[in-house]
Amino acid sequence: MAEQQKPVGGGSLLIAWQLKDKKVLIVGGGEVGAQRIDSLLTTDANIDLVSPSAGLHLRTKKFLEQYPSRITHFDQSFSFPDTQQTAASIDVGAYDMVLTALDDTALSRKIVQACRSIRVPVNAADIPDLCDFYFGGQVRDGPLQIMISTNGNGPRIAALIKDRVKGALTGKEGEALIKVGLLRTKLKERAPGVGGDVGKRRMRWMSRVCEQWSLEDLSHLDEEAMEKLLDEGWERNEVPTPPEVSKESRSWSWVEVFKSNATRSLPSAASFAAGIVFAQFIFSVWRGKK
């Protein structure tokens, strides 16, 4: 019986959205607003937060204290440009992304409609049908970011899966990625160009390095080791082993060899010593009988 094919569709496109130096508006400074700020700080975005001070979560207040140059706080309720209110109006068209974190569903819907009319990406917390994109559970370690999305169906399940994924990592992944990024930059400086044979060769060689070196070995790469890896690896179209590249690794390997040899020699030395003791005992017994 033929295997039943799973239906295609119903998912989202998971992408890494570059927000460096972009303007992002967050409406609402409660617990969810604090979560949104936490997610955005790593992107180097410029954040505007609209929320009365009385509604700020403790974590939100800490973010405002720690990152005053990154977050601009408008101590007021949200109001549209066409409303006659004393508070300054907010033009959603001035932003690259808008996030609402409000208990007021009606206001969230109005903000979403305003954003949609001018094609500004918007997310309304806890209202999946109003979201152009979703926030999921994230595992972060430096440049490493893993997102678990349930398409708005089960945020708590996403959090549980996130804990499992995090527990499966070694803690070396982020540092290894940083070192690999530096190595790629150095390689591009030696062999510049986009695409073509050089680009394909760079990709193949870097893939071999990542496959043959462990994450721990990659995380220990320093400037000198990178240069040597490029000199003896890239230039010869080979991938040297970590001990061949790292002086520290070579020194350590010699220590390990010495320890290993010493350990292997212990049984024979112990046997030799036991033999001497036994011979002395026999000799003393023989003398006593004389």
Side-chain angles (χ1 to χ4, degrees):
M1 188 175 179
E3 184 179 354
Q4 187 175 3
Q5 192 172 18
K6 291 184 178 181
V8 177
S12 300
L13 177 64
L14 298 182
I15 59 176
W17 204 326
Q18 298 298 310
L19 289 173
K20 182 178 174 61
D21 298 329
K22 299 293 180 67
K23 292 187 66 177
V24 179
L25 173 66
I26 301 177
V27 184
E31 183 178 0
V32 176
Q35 293 172 2
R36 299 296 185 251
I37 293 173
D38 187 26
S39 297
L40 288 171
L41 284 172
T42 59
T43 70
D44 296 324
N46 297 314
I47 305 168
D48 281 1
L49 173 66
V50 177
S51 174
S53 293
L56 294 179
H57 189 269
L58 180 60
R59 195 174 177 211
T60 304
K61 293 179 181 178
K62 288 184 177 180
F63 282 138
L64 292 174
E65 294 172 359
Q66 292 174 344
Y67 306 100
S69 64
R70 298 284 311 283
I71 311 170
T72 301
H73 178 214
F74 293 87
D75 185 5
Q76 64 177 67
S77 298
F78 182 90
S79 62
F80 288 101
D82 58 350
T83 57
Q84 301 296 321
Q85 295 188 19
T86 55
S89 61
I90 305 297
D91 179 13
V92 295
Y95 295 92
D96 299 288
M97 177 184 288
V98 174
L99 314 173
T100 73
L102 298 166
D103 293 327
D104 188 340
T105 303
L107 179 57
S108 283
R109 289 186 179 278
K110 289 181 181 179
I111 294 174
V112 169
Q113 290 171 0
C115 291
R116 291 262 173 84
S117 67
I118 53 176
R119 298 190 176 184
V120 173
V122 61
N123 172 279
D126 295 330
I127 316 177
D129 61 306
L130 294 184
C131 296
D132 290 328
F133 55 92
Y134 301 113
F135 284 85
Q138 292 188 41
V139 177
R140 294 184 301 210
D141 180 9
L144 175 65
Q145 293 179 272
I146 303 173
M147 177 180 173
I148 298 95
S149 174
T150 63
N151 281 303
N153 288 297
R156 180 55 189 159
I157 297 298
L160 293 172
I161 296 173
K162 166 191 168 181
D163 291 339
R164 289 191 181 186
V165 172
K166 192 172 182 178
L169 299 177
T170 65
K172 299 287 185 181
E173 289 80 6
E175 188 64 24
L177 281 169
I178 292 173
K179 298 300 177 63
V180 168
L182 292 173
L183 181 63
R184 287 185 65 202
T185 299
K186 289 179 176 292
L187 177 56
K188 287 181 179 180
E189 291 173 354
R190 289 198 181 203
V194 178
D197 293 336
V198 174
K200 291 178 181 177
R201 186 189 163 204
R202 280 201 314 260
M203 185 180 297
R204 285 195 299 267
W205 187 79
M206 282 299 307
S207 295
R208 289 169 59 195
V209 171
C210 294
E211 290 165 0
Q212 296 178 31
W213 282 48
S214 70
L215 288 171
E216 186 169 1
D217 289 329
L218 291 169
S219 69
H220 291 155
L221 272 174
D222 56 20
E223 290 283 335
E224 184 179 355
M226 288 183 194
E227 293 296 338
K228 189 165 187 179
L229 180 57
L230 292 170
D231 290 339
E232 299 183 5
W234 167 256
E235 300 298 344
R236 301 176 185 178
N237 197 26
E238 298 174 355
V239 178
T241 63
E244 291 173 338
V245 170
S246 172
K247 290 182 178 180
E248 181 181 351
S249 296
R250 285 202 303 275
S251 299
W252 178 252
S253 65
W254 280 111
V255 171
E256 289 298 309
V257 169
F258 175 77
K259 285 183 178 179
S260 178
N261 290 337
T263 302
R264 282 197 295 269
S265 66
L266 282 176
S268 59
S271 300
F272 179 71
I276 292 176
V277 172
F278 181 73
Q280 288 177 336
F281 172 74
I282 295 297
F283 181 70
S284 64
V285 173
W286 176 76
R287 289 190 64 182
K289 287 183 178 181
K290 286 187 68 177

